[in-house]
Amino acid sequence: RAMAGDDEELEYTLLNKKDVLVYQIPPATGASGHKADDWKKCIWRGRLQITGKGTDMSIKLIDSKSGDLFAQCGIPKGEYDKYVERVVDSSRYFVLKISHGERHAFIGLGFEDRNDAFDFNVALSDFKSVWGGGREQKVEDDAPAGPAEPSKDFS
């Protein structure tokens, strides 16, 4: 357990998947979104790990043999909908926004097993429901709007 005054948050693992595929993807065709059927070039295969640290989460793509980081998708406050997009034609494929400073790129992420894709989705939404969007607002909503009036004495 962290000592009082220690601001260093612990990183913890939310999900591990041994085998995921990464694709070079063309730009989305139209407003409907990306289609996995358009993805022809698999550029990497390895493992996926989702970690949490404080209110932030990361999707890490890690080389299965060396343990080296291939790519990381940082997601502040669990707001994954800005960084992870489902494709329109499959439940097993997603688009990740990988940021590096001011630059970013989009890559395709695929799961061969539908259950792995389901686990991925659940890990994202569970984290967001606990740590993400609106948590601070909820605390404020529960507080009284102004000073409470003293209770009246009817005796």
Side-chain angles (χ1 to χ4, degrees):
R1 183 129 179 107
M3 295 177 59
D6 184 1
D7 289 341
E8 189 61 31
E9 304 243 18
L10 294 177
E11 183 175 78
Y12 51 94
T13 301
L14 300 161
L15 181 71
N16 271 313
K17 290 297 172 186
K18 290 182 180 172
D19 191 32
V20 298
L21 304 167
V22 171
Y23 295 86
Q24 179 179 325
I25 61 172
T29 53
S32 61
H34 291 272
K35 291 183 180 174
D37 196 44
D38 296 338
W39 303 354
K40 306 300 179 206
K41 187 175 180 186
C42 180
I43 58 172
W44 184 85
R45 185 175 200 142
R47 62 186 186 94
L48 173 138
Q49 183 179 61
I50 300 179
T51 60
K53 186 173 183 178
T55 59
D56 299 335
M57 68 189 303
S58 291
I59 300 169
K60 298 177 182 181
L61 301 172
I62 302 166
D63 186 275
S64 298
K65 292 180 180 66
S66 69
D68 292 341
L69 186 66
F70 171 74
Q72 178 170 316
C73 177
I75 303 174
K77 295 189 171 98
E79 296 287 336
Y80 69 89
D81 44 332
K82 297 174 184 169
Y83 299 89
V84 180
E85 179 187 335
R86 293 180 80 138
V87 298
V88 295
D89 60 342
S90 173
S91 63
R92 296 182 296 120
Y93 295 88
F94 303 85
V95 175
L96 296 184
K97 180 180 181 180
I98 307 293
S99 298
H100 186 73
E102 293 294 313
R103 300 177 61 190
H104 65 268
F106 295 96
I107 61 173
L109 173 69
F111 297 90
E112 290 188 331
D113 183 351
R114 190 168 267 103
N115 291 327
D116 287 346
F118 178 81
D119 293 345
F120 176 76
N121 251 334
V122 169
L124 294 176
S125 61
D126 282 356
F127 186 88
K128 183 177 180 180
S129 68
V130 173
W131 296 108
R135 187 169 186 260
E136 297 84 6
Q137 186 64 42
K138 179 73 177 118
V139 171
E140 290 173 11
D141 290 347
D142 291 343
E149 289 185 30
S151 55
K152 295 188 181 198
D153 182 5
F154 293 108
S155 55

